Amino acid sequence: MPTDKTEKTTEKKKSAAEAKPEPVKKAKAPAEPKTEPAKKAKAGAEKKPKAVKVKKPEAAPDAAAEAPVEAAVPPVETVPAKVEPAETAPVETAPVEADPVPDTPRRSVAFIGSECYPFVKTGGLGDVMYALPKALVKHNCDVKVILPRYRCIPWEYQQKMVYRGAFGMDLCADGRSYYVGIMEYVWDGVVYDFIDNEEFFSSGNPYTNLVDDIPKYCYFAKAALAALNYMDWIPDIIHCHDWQAALVPVYLRTLFENTKLSRARAILTIHNLKFQGVYNIPTIKYWSGLPDYVFNKDALTVNWVDANMLKGGLTYSNAITTVSPTYAWEIQTPAYGENLDAHLRYHAGKLRGIVNGIDYDIWNPLTDKNVPHNYSAADVLKQKKANKRALQEELGLQVDEGKLVIGLISRLTDQKGLDLVNAIMSQIVDDYTQVVILGTGDAMYEDSFRYYENAYKGTVCSCILYDEARSHRIYAGADALLVPSRFEPCGLTQLNAMRYGTVPIVRETGGLKDTVEPYNMFTNTGNGFTFDRYDAGLLLDAINRAKTLYFENRWCWDEMVQRDMEKDVSWDSSAAQYKELYLQLT
Ligand code: ADP
Ligand code: GLC
């Protein structure tokens, strides 16, 4: 998950002098200046690049005078740029699904964010950046996803990217021209444009520490807009995600105000308010090159001395969304507002919550290649037992399909309520109950779960690693899944769990509250077990209620399993809500 976990340390040391100028390739030019990428994907043919056509925006008054817009899209180092021929990297042209396109007007949308499955994912943001654009294509949207080209993106994708062009861009007070390369990949009707710059994106992990991340995402936000201008692709909507892309609306309304892009409406989606991109004002001012007037208390400034990139984005965007209605409400309270509750209350008129979905092609127990025994709601009861046995064997647990297997798949951080789990672990495990943990994160939690595995050999298994394939096998083989989060903007693991007939046990917060209806023993309705106050005793009570139903009233449990599998947790209705928002704004 996006993180700026690292404490502030020293100011960014890299000075202008140290920074090596990026060799801008002498090249032919970007592919067609005006493209309709989704359509091109269908056609499956990438045209040969033509001569560079660098847009010089009209003269920019005021803000632009301090940091001229044209500098954002300047000619390439005064040398005519050339584009490497694209023939070595064919565009992947998976056919766009033939689903009927809903009858709403077409809108073009640029998604800008810091991660996207399967290229790079550290948490749910990566899932959403992949699945939502794909779902929007089916709602008559033309979508481009703009991402950093991190070095850690697997080679299988890197080699398929097509070079779209490069230009130089000014960024900060050092006056240098920074290289911006555009590498393109088209897949499932969505165009992915990767911003290439080795100086910023060459570390192994997308997020390292704030000292490096602040300049990295200042650069990314500006380069993303400059790339749109360069490609002459002017979307109706620019949809930004989390603090890493939060400066985009700020740039849009300042340094890019006099470019064609400024007609686009900006949306900022908060996936996790905890991370805001906060650093001292001089550093952010230096790296962003933004005009002085945005560093005021209504926009970027917090605590008189710091600048908050997320806060600036919230101020300058036309609409703010977050990933569930309950979280949209919670973040306006001091308890969940992470010091931005007053700011969010001020902007409440443009704030709304739209719950996430999951991608049904990836999360489908009937076709999932990672699952040993595929199943649907019709045969889940039989096949889940087979998957449970396979999971127990794989993880070295006692093989017994009669036991209740409780899974936990999570980043191991304070957000996820793991101190509650630690507090009651010895009361969860018994002769009939096993626990499987899959996660990485804070050493404190990694170590405590390792301890429990050791203390309860054959009953507890702690997989301290990140493993997509294994996560699918746990969703398929476990009976229940714990999500006792302290706060949870949406949460995807409970959705994956329900889709795989695994009963969620969740705290009633954020998206967990919006997606898991509590089991009602009198009406035999609901999707899982829930508790409200953040309290280990209440979590234990919820787990015990689950155990009671599982062991004493299996018929009702089994019905819940089938109900969960049939619940609609797809992107369909949420993508329709985003589309409606796009239409309202344009
Ligand atoms: P967050 O984004 O806060 O981490 P979400 O529930 O929104 O939480 O998304 C987490 C995503 O990451 C889910 O798709 C989940 O399956 C996946 N995930 C989390 N930890 C692991 C892990 N250790 N191995 C594989 N997948 C994981
Ligand atoms: C964040 C949140 C999580 C949400 C995800 C995708 O990482 O922690 O609750 O599901 O973003 O929106």
Side-chain angles (χ1 to χ4, degrees), residues 208-527:
T208 46
N209 55 71
L210 272 188
V211 172
D212 291 324
D213 289 352
I214 294 285
K216 183 192 297 179
Y217 293 111
C218 286
Y219 164 85
F220 174 61
K222 191 171 183 186
L225 288 179
L228 288 173
N229 256 341
Y230 176 81
M231 293 185 282
D232 202 12
W233 199 80
I234 310 300
D236 300 308
I237 299 285
I238 298 183
H239 192 156
C240 315
H241 299 264
D242 272 353
W243 79 264
Q244 294 90 344
L247 284 192
V248 168
V250 188
Y251 281 120
L252 190 65
R253 300 288 166 241
T254 55
L255 305 187
F256 288 73
E257 187 56 13
N258 292 295
T259 68
K260 278 201 248 167
L261 262 188
S262 68
R263 82 167 180 87
R265 312 271 89 191
I267 300 179
L268 179 56
T269 294
I270 303 168
H271 294 263
N272 194 334
L273 190 64
K274 187 155 189 70
F275 307 114
Q276 302 176 359
V278 181
Y279 217 80
N280 64 56
I281 291 173
T283 302
I284 293 188
K285 202 182 264 187
Y286 173 88
W287 278 105
S288 66
L290 282 165
D292 285 349
Y293 65 81
V294 305
F295 294 89
N296 72 71
K297 70 174 177 48
D298 295 325
L300 271 90
T301 299
V302 286
N303 309 326
W304 294 279
V305 289
D306 286 328
N308 181 324
M309 289 164 57
L310 184 72
K311 182 168 174 253
L314 298 173
T315 305
Y316 279 93
S317 56
N318 299 95
I320 304 167
T321 70
T322 186
V323 287
S324 67
T326 294
Y327 193 61
W329 176 81
E330 285 173 341
I331 55 179
Q332 297 178 55
T333 67
Y336 292 88
E338 305 286 350
N339 297 322
L340 285 186
D341 48 297
H343 190 67
L344 286 160
R345 285 196 300 277
Y346 182 78
H347 288 288
K350 60 176 183 180
L351 166 66
R352 66 188 275 193
I354 300 176
V355 86
N356 288 332
I358 56 173
D359 187 280
Y360 271 25
D361 295 334
I362 294 175
W363 300 102
N364 183 352
L366 194 56
T367 54
D368 191 332
K369 293 200 172 61
N370 299 300
V371 170
H373 306 277
N374 290 118
Y375 57 95
S376 67
D379 59 352
V380 54
L381 302 177
K382 177 166 159 261
Q383 296 296 62
K384 199 171 240 307
K385 286 188 187 135
N387 284 315
K388 189 195 294 193
R389 283 196 303 272
L391 182 69
Q392 289 167 326
E393 257 168 50
E394 176 184 344
L395 302 181
L397 294 171
Q398 206 183 330
V399 179
D400 179 348
E401 67 180 41
K403 295 202 178 194
L404 173 74
V405 174
I406 302 179
L408 189 155
I409 300 173
S410 179
R411 285 183 296 119
L412 303 182
T413 68
D414 287 342
Q415 174 190 339
K416 300 296 179 176
L418 304 169
D419 51 337
L420 301 187
V421 179
N422 271 331
I424 56 165
M425 191 65 141
S426 57
Q427 290 160 278
I428 303 176
V429 288
D430 55 34
D431 288 348
Y432 314 99
T433 308
Q434 298 177 336
V435 176
V436 173
I437 292 138
L438 175 65
T440 56
D442 296 354
M444 176 177 75
Y445 295 121
E446 293 189 346
D447 290 344
S448 65
F449 287 128
R450 284 193 186 105
Y451 164 81
Y452 285 120
E453 170 172 296
N454 209 33
Y456 299 101
K457 280 222 164 68
T459 298
V460 174
C461 176
S462 302
C463 314
I464 307 302
L465 61 139
Y466 190 93
D467 186 337
E468 282 287 331
R470 182 168 289 177
S471 77
H472 287 237
R473 290 195 291 277
I474 297 174
Y475 288 121
D479 297 294
L481 190 97
L482 284 187
V483 200
S485 307
R486 188 183 288 272
F487 70 92
E488 196 61 74
C490 179
L492 299 176
T493 60
Q494 82 282 9
L495 303 181
N496 297 339
M498 288 190 279
R499 175 89 168 127
Y500 281 62
T502 304
V503 173
I505 302 174
V506 307
R507 175 154 178 260
E508 290 167 18
T509 184
L512 299 171
K513 186 172 179 184
D514 294 340
T515 56
V516 180
E517 186 195 330
Y519 177 66
N520 181 327
M521 63 189 288
F522 302 106
T523 53
N524 195 31
T525 53
N527 309 107

Side-chain angles (χ1 to χ4, degrees), residues 126-273:
D127 290 318
V128 174
M129 289 288 293
Y130 165 74
L132 178 54
K134 203 176 140 197
L136 285 167
V137 168
K138 295 179 189 157
H139 286 264
N140 204 15
C141 287
D142 195 2
V143 194
K144 237 184 210 305
V145 180
I146 304 193
L147 299 161
R149 186 198 182 186
Y150 303 109
R151 186 180 282 176
C152 61
I153 293 173
W155 176 241
E156 63 174 301
Y157 303 111
Q158 300 261 11
Q159 67 176 352
K160 289 178 186 155
M161 294 176 188
V162 176
Y163 179 75
R164 282 290 312 263
F167 56 91
M169 175 187 84
D170 78 340
L171 178 67
C172 59
D174 68 5
R176 268 180 57 197
S177 175
Y178 284 80
Y179 174 81
V180 180
I182 307 170
M183 303 294 291
E184 195 163 279
Y185 178 64
V186 185
W187 184 27
D188 264 355
V190 178
V191 178
Y192 298 87
D193 280 318
F194 294 86
I195 302 295
D196 186 27
N197 180 304
E198 288 199 353
E199 190 178 333
F200 288 110
F201 302 136
S202 59
S203 57
N205 196 302
Y207 318 117
T208 46
N209 55 71
L210 272 188
V211 172
D212 291 324
D213 289 352
I214 294 285
K216 183 192 297 179
Y217 293 111
C218 286
Y219 164 85
F220 174 61
K222 191 171 183 186
L225 288 179
L228 288 173
N229 256 341
Y230 176 81
M231 293 185 282
D232 202 12
W233 199 80
I234 310 300
D236 300 308
I237 299 285
I238 298 183
H239 192 156
C240 315
H241 299 264
D242 272 353
W243 79 264
Q244 294 90 344
L247 284 192
V248 168
V250 188
Y251 281 120
L252 190 65
R253 300 288 166 241
T254 55
L255 305 187
F256 288 73
E257 187 56 13
N258 292 295
T259 68
K260 278 201 248 167
L261 262 188
S262 68
R263 82 167 180 87
R265 312 271 89 191
I267 300 179
L268 179 56
T269 294
I270 303 168
H271 294 263
N272 194 334
L273 190 64

